[in-house]
Amino acid sequence: MRNLKWSASHEVFVPDIDDEHKEIFDAVTDLRKALTGDSALTDIVRLTSRLAACVVDHFSHEERLMRAARYDSLRWHKQQHEAARRRVSQFAAQIEQGDRTAGLALVDYLSSWLANHTRLADRMMGAFLRNQRLGLGKMTFQAGTRPLDSCEWVNAQGDRFNPRVAKKCR
Ligand SMILES: [Fe+2]
Ligand SMILES: [Fe+2]
């Protein structure tokens, strides 16, 4: 069975998303340990529910961020989430019926899916969100109607910012 461990290669450079990824990776590891350590079925079901909840919440969070930022590849990214959501809930239902091999299959599936998805799809999303947070916003006035210094700039979240001052990603 593959051992999923978060490393810098999974970093998407958006701190709240990276924190959620670490939490999910830890939840996969906890489930793997319970399965290989012969834990009781009730513990395995509890750890599976926790893992599934982390995954579902995390996908919703990413989808909210992408929607708010009008991310071009939202549909493609969301389709990947939907496929994984479906598989996780199928495995979770089998585990609840007492099928421990479904637990091992879930760990294998997510270990591979998460490693691939975070390194490509999430990293692409992270680059887009980071660029937006760094101030690639839009001007709220019609060009040429007012002097530049009296214009207001807003970012994708609607916050005002000064385009001349470089902002650090939070
Ligand atoms: Fe994602
Ligand atoms: Fe993610």
Side-chain angles (χ1 to χ4, degrees), residues 141-157:
F141 77 112
Q142 203 181 338
T145 58
R146 294 166 71 186
L148 186 64
D149 287 322
S150 66
C151 300
E152 279 182 354
W153 289 64
V154 292
N155 63 18
Q157 286 75 41

Side-chain angles (χ1 to χ4, degrees), residues 60 62-71 74 78 129:
S60 301
E62 283 189 354
E63 286 162 19
R64 277 198 307 279
L65 292 176
M66 289 187 281
R67 210 171 292 117
R70 298 177 195 278
Y71 180 49
L74 166 66
K78 207 175 155 198
L129 295 175

